[in-house]
């Protein structure tokens, strides 16, 4: 079945370091891909998305490119801040009426 | 605009008691999801509804769990009887079937079963 796999956390970085969180997916079709972020004590919120191959989603300095050939959607940011500390979830979804399938989440901790 | 509203935010109960969690989706959204989050199992989809109709309940753990959506503005998730292993944060989320594909989450209901 369809699934999403993320790199294990927690990831601990110093402020201004470069961030990569790996995400790969298994899908029978061509889903849309998403990154959601969960700050402590809150629900998840959409960070960025890409709806087709080679699309790049971006928001708040974060980027991810939909790579069909490697079935990946890695999240990157050039310079992280303490305020980026959160749990990041990669997800896929086929259509407007379908369910969102999440990876297990990757906790990011950024130290000053 | 009000987001997805869940209640209660926190619930502590004893094993064997009935628990009812409530959700009000964003007005105009016609698809609603219930998720459960634990440290051990991560984020699990329990059930989702399109236009108030349950579409996929394969994630509901067992018969002790039930969910209803009597109208477009209200849904409940009930656990009867509750067990300590049900302790988790339960999230409700909604989306417009004709929208951008962004799922909007509530702030969650943290359930502790003693």
């Amino acid at each position: 079945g369809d699934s999403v796999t993320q790199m294990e956390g927690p990831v601990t970085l110093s402020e201004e370091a470069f961030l990569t969180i790996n995400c790969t997916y298994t899908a029978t079709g061509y889903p849309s891909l998403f990154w959601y972020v969960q700050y402590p004590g809150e629900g998840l919120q959409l960070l960025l998305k890409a709806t087709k191959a080679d699309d790049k989603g971006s928001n708040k300095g974060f980027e991810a490119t939909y790579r069909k050939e490697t079935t990946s959607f890695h999240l990157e940011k050039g310079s992280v801040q303490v305020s980026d500390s959160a749990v990041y979830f990669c997800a896929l979804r086929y259509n407007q009426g379908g369910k969102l399938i999440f990876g297990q989440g990757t906790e990011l901790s950024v130290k000053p | 605009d009000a987001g997805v509203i869940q209640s209660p935010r926190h619930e502590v109960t004893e094993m064997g008691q009935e628990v009812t969690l409530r959700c009000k989706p964003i007005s105009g959204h016609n698809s609603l999801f219930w998720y459960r989050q634990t440290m051990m199992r991560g984020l699990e989809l329990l059930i989702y509804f399109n236009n108030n109709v349950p579409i996929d309940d394969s994630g509901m753990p067992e018969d002790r769990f039930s969910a209803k959506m009597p109208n477009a503005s209200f849904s409940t998730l009930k656990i009867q009887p509750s067990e300590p292993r049900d302790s988790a944060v339960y999230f409700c989320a909604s989306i417009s079937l004709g929208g951008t594909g962004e799922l909007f989450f509530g702030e969650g209901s943290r359930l502790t079963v003693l």
Side-chain angles (χ1 to χ4, degrees), chain A residues 44-66:
Chain A
L44 282 71
Q45 54 187 276
L46 180 67
L47 180 60
L48 54 84
K49 69 177 184 180
T51 57
K52 61 184 187 296
D54 300 326
D55 269 4
K56 177 186 282 188
S58 61
N59 186 27
K60 299 180 182 179
F62 291 88
E63 292 183 340
T65 301
Y66 191 147

Side-chain angles (χ1 to χ4, degrees), chain B residues 37-112:
Chain B
Q37 186 177 37
T38 61
M39 289 292 293
M40 291 296 294
R41 301 173 70 94
L43 199 62
E44 303 173 275
L45 176 65
L46 301 178
I47 185 172
Y48 77 98
F49 298 82
N50 284 349
N51 295 314
N52 312 338
V53 176
I55 302 300
D56 184 351
D57 65 353
S58 59
M60 295 286 263
E62 48 201 271
D63 291 345
R64 298 185 298 106
F65 285 69
S66 62
K68 294 182 179 179
M69 192 163 186
N71 57 62
S73 58
F74 184 65
S75 177
T76 59
L77 178 67
K78 186 174 293 187
I79 308 172
Q80 167 63 17
S82 58
E83 297 183 3
R85 60 192 168 122
D86 302 330
S87 298
V89 181
Y90 291 81
F91 287 102
C92 176
S94 71
I95 189 172
S96 172
L97 287 171
T100 61
E102 178 179 358
L103 199 59
F104 290 83
F105 281 78
E107 294 189 322
S109 294
R110 179 175 295 276
L111 173 65
T112 302

